[in-house]
């Protein structure tokens, strides 16, 4: 069953350069914020995941209940997905002993399954069509899967692959540049390219977050997780104030 073209306006922002800047900041904040609760507060990955999962569920419910696109609400919900993605991936990889490769494979399968069911149910996975409660539910489940996958991928490249935080950031930055090139200079599906970029910005943010707060001996800057999280939150608020956002426009 497809959503009617006359459905409510899109509830997600138009994809612009400011969108991607905020997405990377949000994913970096998710890493530092998630680690602040699970590590700095010594609550552990399981309790941290439970806390952020509860926040995620509440924020998604509020977002779906909203009658129009609200930038502050949208980005708060995005941050909720990045924090729960951080602690959930760490719990699966480290506490359950699945490992980075196993965790990444499992999360990739969940992400693809979410996208498949979304497309099978509503006929499109375009963000411009995220205007009905069902579309929003699929959207946020997919976002959460992508954020969790990105965390696992970032840890895998930085730790297991031995690239370090800056090396991993360079790899994901190059991959994002290739996606951008595909957007401007090929006829590849813009919806496909969007989701590729959305997934890749998460491991980029994850390794940048680790670079900010990990000890110098491990290749980080050893900044306080609380300070880094606050600075990133202030940056996001400044972006919202300086670059007003509007809802994505439907293309049909």
């Amino acid at each position: 069953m497809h959503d009617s073209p006359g459905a409510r306006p899109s509830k997600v922002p138009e994809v612009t350069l400011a969108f991607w800047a905020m997405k990377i900041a949000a994913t970096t904040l998710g890493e530092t914020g998630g680690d602040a609760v699970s590590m700095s507060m010594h609550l552990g990955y399981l309790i941290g995941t439970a806390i952020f999962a509860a926040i995620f569920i509440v924020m998604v419910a509020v977002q779906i209940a909203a009658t129009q696109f609200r930038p502050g609400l949208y980005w708060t919900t995005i941050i909720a997905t990045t924090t729960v993605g951080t602690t959930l991936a760490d719990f699966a990889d480290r506490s359950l002993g699945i490992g980075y490769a196993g965790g990444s494979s499992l999360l990739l399968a969940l992400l693809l399954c979410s996208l498949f069911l979304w497309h099978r149910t509503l006929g499109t996975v375009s963000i411009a069509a995220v205007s009905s409660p069902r579309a929003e539910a699929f959207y946020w489940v997919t976002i959460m899967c992508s954020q969790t996958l990105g965390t696992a991928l970032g840890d895998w490249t930085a730790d297991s692959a031995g690239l370090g935080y800056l090396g991993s950031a360079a790899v994901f930055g190059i991959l994002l540049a290739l996606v951008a090139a595909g957007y401007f200079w090929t006829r590849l599906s813009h919806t496909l390219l969007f989701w590729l970029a959305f997934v890749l910005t998460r491991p980029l943010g994850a390794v940048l977050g680790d670079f900010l707060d990990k000890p110098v001996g491990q290749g980080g800057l050893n900044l306080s997780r609380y300070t880094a999280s606050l600075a990133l939150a202030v940056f996001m608020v400044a972006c919202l104030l300086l670059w007003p956002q509007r809802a994505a426009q439907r293309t049909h």
Side-chain angles (χ1 to χ4, degrees):
M1 178 178 178
H2 295 248
D3 287 328
S4 169
R8 295 183 302 173
S10 176
K11 299 276 290 296
V12 299
E14 184 179 29
V15 179
T16 62
L17 183 59
F19 171 89
W20 291 116
M22 291 190 66
K23 171 60 167 59
I24 293 172
T27 58
T28 308
L29 173 56
E31 188 72 17
T32 57
D35 287 348
V37 171
S38 61
M39 297 180 184
S40 297
M41 294 182 182
H42 306 291
L43 295 179
Y45 300 128
L46 181 59
I47 294 178
T49 298
I51 292 172
F52 289 125
I55 295 173
F56 166 70
I57 292 171
V58 170
M59 292 310 304
V60 169
V62 174
Q63 168 73 18
I64 292 176
T67 57
Q68 60 185 350
F69 169 62
R70 299 183 183 279
L73 175 59
Y74 173 85
W75 286 107
T76 300
T77 309
I78 285 289
I79 292 172
T81 68
T82 65
T83 48
V84 72
T86 295
T87 55
L88 181 58
D90 287 342
F91 177 71
D93 296 339
R94 300 168 186 174
S95 298
L96 295 182
I98 296 176
Y100 297 134
S104 297
S105 300
L106 174 61
L107 291 164
L108 176 60
L110 291 174
L111 173 61
L112 293 176
C113 181
S114 178
L115 285 168
F116 172 78
L117 291 175
W118 181 2
H119 191 277
R120 184 69 179 267
T121 302
L122 299 179
T124 180
V125 293
S126 170
I127 63 164
V130 180
S131 56
S132 69
R134 280 201 302 174
E136 283 193 85
F138 277 116
Y139 176 80
W140 288 110
V141 169
T142 302
I143 292 295
M144 196 269 286
C145 290
S146 75
Q147 305 284 38
T148 310
L149 169 62
T151 302
L153 286 175
D155 289 341
W156 189 7
T157 56
D159 297 335
S160 298
L163 295 179
Y165 305 126
L166 292 181
S168 296
V171 168
F172 292 117
I174 290 171
L175 291 174
L176 282 167
L178 292 174
V179 173
Y183 179 87
F184 288 110
W185 296 312
T186 75
R187 296 184 178 180
L188 290 173
S189 165
H190 285 186
T191 297
L192 170 63
L193 293 172
F194 169 83
W195 285 111
L196 285 175
F198 203 96
V199 171
L200 289 172
T201 51
R202 177 54 178 129
L204 175 60
V207 295
L208 288 176
D210 283 338
F211 174 68
L212 291 175
D213 63 33
K214 294 301 183 185
V216 174
Q218 296 179 18
L221 295 179
N222 199 31
L223 299 179
S224 163
R225 293 185 177 107
Y226 304 113
T227 301
S229 299
L230 178 60
L232 289 163
V234 169
F235 172 79
M236 293 189 68
V237 171
C239 285
L240 286 174
L241 295 175
L242 294 174
W243 294 294
Q245 299 182 346
R246 63 180 184 180
Q249 300 298 307
R250 297 180 69 102
T251 57
H252 61 274

